[in-house]
Amino acid sequence: MTNASPKIEGAPLIAPSSTDHPLHEQIVEACRSVYDPEIPVNIYDLGLIYTIDINAENEVNIIMTLTAPGCPVAGEMPGWVAEAIEPLPGVKQVDVELTWEPPWGMDMMSDEARLELGFM
């Protein structure tokens, strides 16, 4: 995957989500229904969903990562995320893109995930 646009100095590593879009909360909940098979926490609380971008036509673009590039379900997880979101009323289309920048780290987990995994 090549990203032709150079990194803009001072730009966030993770693009902002469309948190003010009416579909945002439903999409977050759909993401919470997807679990990493090796970790008993949903991928949203693990911090694997970097960006939920929803445009005016209700086309959803998800940028996500995995806990590790060698994750055994690397090829399947984006499809699971798309399958969780596509049935939502009002969603026109879903694209899920995997990224390794920035690399995932435990600091990206929600407090709920840390508690569940015994890190708190």
Side-chain angles (χ1 to χ4, degrees):
M1 183 172 9
T2 57
N3 190 347
S5 62
K7 291 283 178 212
I8 298 164
E9 190 68 35
L13 286 172
I14 296 174
S17 292
S18 308
T19 52
D20 55 348
H21 194 284
L23 284 171
H24 184 264
E25 275 309 307
Q26 293 171 57
I27 291 169
V28 166
E29 286 310 309
C31 289
R32 282 196 168 117
S33 73
V34 180
Y35 283 75
D36 183 311
E38 297 178 342
I39 307 170
V41 173
N42 71 71
I43 61 168
Y44 189 84
D45 287 329
L46 276 177
L48 298 181
I49 302 292
Y50 283 175
T51 305
I52 299 172
D53 183 39
I54 314 158
N55 69 16
E57 285 77 49
N58 292 349
E59 295 166 336
V60 181
N61 185 36
I62 303 285
I63 300 172
M64 68 173 295
T65 194
L66 300 171
T67 53
C71 177
V73 293
E76 300 170 57
M77 186 103 52
W80 297 346
V81 172
E83 285 169 16
I85 297 169
E86 280 168 348
L88 293 175
V91 170
K92 182 175 176 192
Q93 174 189 334
V94 181
D95 285 311
V96 181
E97 178 187 334
L98 266 182
T99 185
W100 304 109
E101 290 296 319
W104 179 85
M106 289 190 166
D107 57 327
M108 295 175 172
M109 288 193 287
S110 70
D111 287 345
E112 291 84 359
R114 288 172 210 240
L115 201 58
E116 178 100 13
L117 296 173
F119 294 122
M120 280 179 80

